[in-house]
């Protein structure tokens, strides 16, 4: 949602809500996710280019937010669908507990923050 300022007419920053921690932040700090059907399950896949079709959800690239989203059962609501969700790819890529990267690499080099 881009809103223009009535005073300047400039476009503001895009704000999205993390489905894990529910924090509203600038979209560039979150990873867009899409659910892709593979046989009988929905595979939650990061959309690094922000161009895959379908309804997207946004999540901080941390293990903490991934676990919160799973505990809150936010996947079905975020994608507006039901069914078994395969989160294997997400757990492989998420950074441990609250650290944006979980390792000494800068955030811009984290696998989920590529192509930004």
């Amino acid at each position: 949602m881009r809103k223009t300022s009535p005073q300047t007419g400039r476009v503001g920053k895009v704000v999205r809500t993390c489905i894990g921690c529910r924090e509203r932040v600038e979209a560039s700090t979150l990873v867009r996710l899409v659910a892709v059907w593979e046989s009988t399950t929905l595979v939650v896949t990061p959309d690094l280019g922000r161009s895959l079709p379908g309804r997207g959800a946004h999540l901080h690239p941390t293990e903490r937010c991934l676990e919160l989203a799973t505990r809150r059962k936010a996947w079905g609501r975020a994608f507006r669908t039901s069914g078994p969700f395969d989160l294997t790819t997400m757990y492989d890529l998420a950074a441990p507990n609250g650290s944006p990267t979980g390792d000494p690499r800068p955030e811009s080099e984290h696998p989920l923050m590529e192509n930004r």
Side-chain angles (χ1 to χ4, degrees), residues 35 37 40-44 75-77 79-87:
W37 276 106
T40 60
T41 60
L42 283 164
V43 178
V44 177
W75 303 107
R77 288 188 304 275
F79 295 121
R80 292 189 181 173
T81 186
S82 60
F85 293 97
D86 180 3
L87 303 173

Side-chain angles (χ1 to χ4, degrees), residues 3 11 17 26-27 33-34 39 51 54-55 57 61 80 86 89 102-103:
K3 294 189 176 189
V11 175
T17 302
E26 192 175 325
L33 309 170
V34 293
S39 64
S51 61
R55 183 169 178 82
R80 292 189 181 173
D86 180 3
T89 304
D103 57 31

Side-chain angles (χ1 to χ4, degrees), residues 85-116:
F85 293 97
D86 180 3
L87 303 173
T88 308
T89 304
M90 295 307 304
Y91 276 106
D92 290 344
L93 295 174
N97 297 319
S99 161
T101 60
D103 57 31
R105 293 181 290 188
E107 183 175 323
S108 60
E109 293 179 16
H110 188 272
L112 287 178
M113 301 305 275
E114 291 175 356
N115 299 329
R116 299 269 166 121

Side-chain angles (χ1 to χ4, degrees), residues 27-85:
S28 63
T29 63
L30 300 172
V31 177
R32 181 176 187 265
L33 309 170
V34 293
V36 179
W37 276 106
E38 285 191 13
S39 64
T40 60
T41 60
L42 283 164
V43 178
V44 177
T45 308
D47 180 9
L48 302 177
R50 296 179 181 263
S51 61
L52 291 176
R55 183 169 178 82
H58 293 81
L59 185 76
H60 283 110
T62 64
E63 189 175 320
R64 177 182 166 269
C65 285
L66 180 58
E67 289 172 356
L68 282 170
T70 303
R71 187 173 6 157
R72 292 181 51 248
K73 299 178 182 170
W75 303 107
R77 288 188 304 275
F79 295 121
R80 292 189 181 173
T81 186
S82 60
F85 293 97

